[in-house]
Amino acid sequence: MSDVAGKTVALIRGNAEYQEASLEPTPEVLNLWKKVHNDMRTEFGEAIFRSWLKPLKLQAFYHGTMEVSVPTRFMRDWIQNHYAERILAMCSESSEEIKRLQIVVVQNAIIDDEPFNSAEVSKANQNKKIDISEISSPLDERLTFETFVVGKPNALAHAAARRVVESASVPFNPLFLYGGVGLGKTHLMHAIAHAIEEQNPDKTVMYLSAEKFMYQFVKAIRSDSTMAFKEQFRSVDVLMIDDIQFIAGKESTQEEFFHTFNALVDQNKQIIISADKAPSDLSGIDERLRSRLAWGLVADIHPTTYELRLGILQAKRQQLGADVPDSVLEFLALKVTSNIRELEGALNRIVAHADVSKQEVTLETTQEVLQDLLRAHDRRITIDEIQRKVAEHYNLRMADMHSARRARNVARPRQVAMYLAKMLTARSLPEIGRKFGGRDHTTVMHAVRKVEELIEADAQIAQDVDVVRRALTG
Ligand code: ADP
Ligand code: MG
């Protein structure tokens, strides 16, 4: 045991193959165990098998040791004293490589239908909760499905999250959610966890960031408790790992996660992962793991649209019970486009300011309170830059942005550029019009509305706008 951990430490220092340190039983050993386990029925008789031996589970195989688990200490001692010797002999008969049998307590090893000792079991379940809660991060109670506003950009991810909660079985494994910063990945994960816990309090849901996963893993290695670490992770019903991109380049953590992942998938336990990119785009993550991550349902959360931003602001206004005019919400939805966290932050600031200053919230106070934020947004981007980026994206010439040509392949990109100019700068409509070959402000307004509409209706345009916006703001 300790030399196994030693090897893993060595790996972390970068000079040993992790495979060697792996405790995962190979398919051969698994098959052998299945056969031996089955033979125990005839060897010991059905009654003993059902009372004691059926819950035995193969956990690991290392250096000639078969490690099997039972759910309680009491069972372990009983099996140790009465049947262990014979079980080892049965194993050794099947393979000379097996030299030792180690029986460990995995407190929530699945107990099928046998009511052998319910007091022990419920105690085990209590312990299990305590163990898990040491690792699992606390859930934010505000992040629920009720407070999650659904719109086009997050509809798929939301529907997938609901499926996970509502399905009797595991609908897809893993559920992989990805999208940019502050777009609601963590919110959705917490919402799933709350809903599952509400529906089914017996289920163990573990939620943590990939960073914490790594921290726990390294801590387990240092304290020689990798087995306990493995047990804790393999005993959950639902495992959620947030921001998996964090373990890019962390090879041993990835390896460990890969095994945990496979073990849980094998047991048909739900896994939910979030990341800032699609599995195939996660650099620094092992190819094997990347392909596994894409096995289930991959759902992306798109950058917000004006409609969604407005919807979120309206919901938030209601939650805060604050008196904020629609015009202010519309202004914010138009101006604060980077992400939802920033949008919420802006509304909170305005409401807090109104509270403290005992002033009403108006467009003017809003502009004043958010001066720095709005300026930071505006300062960076000029209409020239926007035109250049849009032209580049659509393979047009800069002159096409100013020209009078009305062919669709030129006019549409030009409208996109006007839209972005309105969204990303503080320029007024007439100012924008002037920059686009002296067009009228109504032309600009029309372009802005048109592109808003298209973003909702046409995924290609939505993506184009998004790509250019990211290029400009990123
Ligand atoms: P991510 O994990 O993708 O970086 P978060 O889930 O932390 O983003 O979301 C950032 C903030 O925006 C949180 O306060 C969250 O509650 C809020 N938020 C995100 N999406 C929505 C939504 N669809 N409806 C309401 N609030 C949202
Ligand atoms: Mg997050």
Side-chain angles (χ1 to χ4, degrees):
M1 187 48 217
S2 63
D3 74 57
V4 171
K7 274 192 187 156
T8 315
V9 172
L11 172 83
I12 284 196
R13 295 190 185 119
N15 54 15
E17 276 296 312
Y18 187 79
Q19 206 49 49
E20 268 179 66
S22 170
L23 304 171
E24 283 295 304
T26 60
E28 288 79 17
V29 176
L30 269 170
N31 277 335
L32 181 151
W33 169 253
K34 254 191 216 150
K35 183 177 169 303
V36 170
H37 193 218
N38 207 33
D39 288 349
M40 291 176 200
R41 271 179 206 276
T42 29
E43 181 76 22
F44 301 105
E46 186 66 21
I48 290 176
F49 181 78
R50 287 169 71 98
S51 314
W52 300 107
L53 306 174
K54 196 174 168 205
L56 280 171
K57 285 224 150 43
L58 179 62
Q59 291 292 332
F61 179 67
Y62 48 91
H63 306 308
T65 300
M66 283 286 254
E67 186 173 280
V68 297
S69 67
V70 290
T72 67
R73 213 172 275 271
F74 180 64
M75 285 185 82
R76 183 198 58 194
D77 295 346
W78 187 266
I79 296 171
Q80 190 70 56
N81 291 334
H82 294 84
Y83 313 114
E85 209 173 310
R86 184 68 205 124
I87 294 172
L88 175 60
M90 289 168 76
C91 292
S92 308
E93 271 162 37
S94 299
S95 164
E96 286 176 13
E97 274 186 70
I98 299 171
K99 306 262 188 320
R100 279 169 301 277
L101 181 74
Q102 172 114 13
I103 305 173
V104 298
V105 181
V106 173
Q107 292 185 314
N108 65 327
I110 319 294
I111 298 141
D112 294 337
D113 44 2
E114 302 306 317
F116 41 83
N117 186 337
S118 55
E120 282 279 351
V121 173
S122 74
K123 209 166 85 205
N125 275 337
Q126 271 170 19
N127 289 342
K128 165 181 114 180
K129 283 279 183 197
I130 292 162
D131 283 343
I132 301 296
S133 65
E134 263 176 30
I135 291 189
S136 192
S137 296
L139 297 174
D140 184 330
E141 60 193 50
R142 288 164 309 167
L143 305 181
T144 63
F145 279 118
E146 286 69 43
T147 57
F148 190 83
V149 179
V150 185
K152 262 236 170 79
N154 58 29
L156 173 66
H158 174 261
R162 290 231 71 122
R163 270 289 293 286
V164 165
V165 172
E166 282 154 18
S167 298
S169 57
V170 173
F172 19 72
N173 227 354
L175 168 58
F176 188 97
L177 300 170
Y178 78 92
V181 175
L183 297 181
K185 302 180 295 291
T186 298
H187 190 138
L188 269 184
M189 289 175 113
H190 283 230
I192 295 172
H194 285 304
I196 291 177
E197 288 189 340
E198 205 175 285
Q199 258 179 28
N200 198 338
D202 291 338
K203 279 203 177 167
T204 316
V205 179
M206 190 191 272
Y207 165 86
L208 72 164
S209 64
E211 183 177 8
K212 191 162 180 205
F213 180 88
M214 177 169 124
Y215 168 78
Q216 293 288 350
F217 174 54
V218 172
K219 196 171 108 184
I221 292 169
R222 294 227 173 96
S223 63
D224 251 13
S225 56
T226 49
M227 282 313 292
F229 174 85
K230 283 171 191 291
E231 282 162 16
Q232 278 164 327
F233 277 94
R234 281 159 213 213
S235 66
V236 303
D237 297 304
V238 181
L239 177 65
M240 301 189 185
I241 306 275
D242 207 349
D243 291 320
I244 195 81
Q245 73 274 2
F246 182 84
I247 61 169
K250 316 271 181 1
E251 281 166 33
S252 36
T253 302
Q254 282 180 39
E255 185 81 33
E256 181 60 30
F257 176 69
F258 185 69
H259 291 308
T260 305
F261 184 97
N262 290 338
L264 288 174
V265 169
D266 282 351
Q267 293 178 53
N268 214 16
K269 299 301 176 60
Q270 180 72 58
I271 301 174
I272 302 166
I273 308 282
S274 84
D276 63 350
K277 293 191 198 69
S280 53
D281 296 336
L282 286 170
S283 52
I285 301 271
D286 175 58
E287 166 57 32
R288 230 170 22 146
L289 179 55
R290 265 190 290 150
S291 88
R292 274 311 153 87
L293 290 173
W295 265 11
L297 184 81
V298 176
D300 55 343
I301 305 186
H302 294 274
T304 56
T305 57
Y306 176 78
E307 262 68 40
L308 179 61
R309 290 194 295 275
L310 192 59
I312 288 170
L313 288 168
Q314 284 162 345
K316 196 79 182 136
R317 170 174 65 184
Q318 204 183 358
Q319 282 160 31
L320 292 170
D323 205 359
V324 182
D326 287 343
S327 60
V328 167
L329 297 192
E330 283 157 20
F331 175 78
L332 291 179
L334 201 61
K335 291 294 182 185
V336 187
T337 58
S338 47
N339 66 50
I340 299 171
R341 189 171 300 133
E342 205 164 311
L343 189 66
E344 280 186 340
L347 182 63
N348 286 337
R349 261 169 74 181
I350 300 168
V351 171
H353 176 267
D355 249 16
V356 173
S357 67
K358 305 259 182 291
Q359 272 179 357
E360 260 176 58
V361 177
T362 64
L363 215 43
E364 285 67 45
T365 61
T366 298
Q367 275 168 319
E368 204 183 295
V369 173
L370 298 181
Q371 229 174 31
D372 54 337
L373 180 84
L374 297 172
R375 232 192 288 121
H377 276 267
D378 296 340
R379 196 173 33 214
R380 263 178 268 160
I381 300 160
T382 65
I383 292 179
D384 269 8
E385 268 177 89
I386 292 172
Q387 291 175 330
R388 208 170 317 118
K389 278 278 186 273
V390 171
E392 232 171 66
H393 181 81
Y394 286 99
N395 246 327
L396 298 173
R397 290 165 307 139
M398 191 60 177
D400 291 326
M401 292 288 132
H402 311 124
S403 81
R405 286 179 61 201
R406 300 176 66 161
R408 169 75 64 90
N409 69 327
V410 180
R412 192 67 89 219
R414 200 189 291 129
Q415 287 180 320
V416 167
M418 290 184 205
Y419 166 83
L420 286 170
K422 180 67 196 145
M423 298 297 275
L424 301 176
T425 73
R427 300 283 156 256
S428 65
L429 294 174
E431 279 175 310
I432 294 172
R434 275 199 289 282
K435 286 279 200 176
F436 282 83
R439 285 178 160 79
D440 192 68
H441 78 276
T442 54
T443 308
V444 180
M445 198 156 72
H446 172 73
V448 171
R449 295 221 177 109
K450 184 74 202 167
V451 174
E452 293 262 16
E453 253 173 59
L454 287 170
I455 286 173
E456 289 295 317
D458 182 338
Q460 182 59 50
I461 292 270
Q463 202 194 343
D464 288 344
V465 171
D466 179 41
V467 167
V468 178
R469 178 164 42 215
R470 278 172 198 240
L472 287 160
T473 55

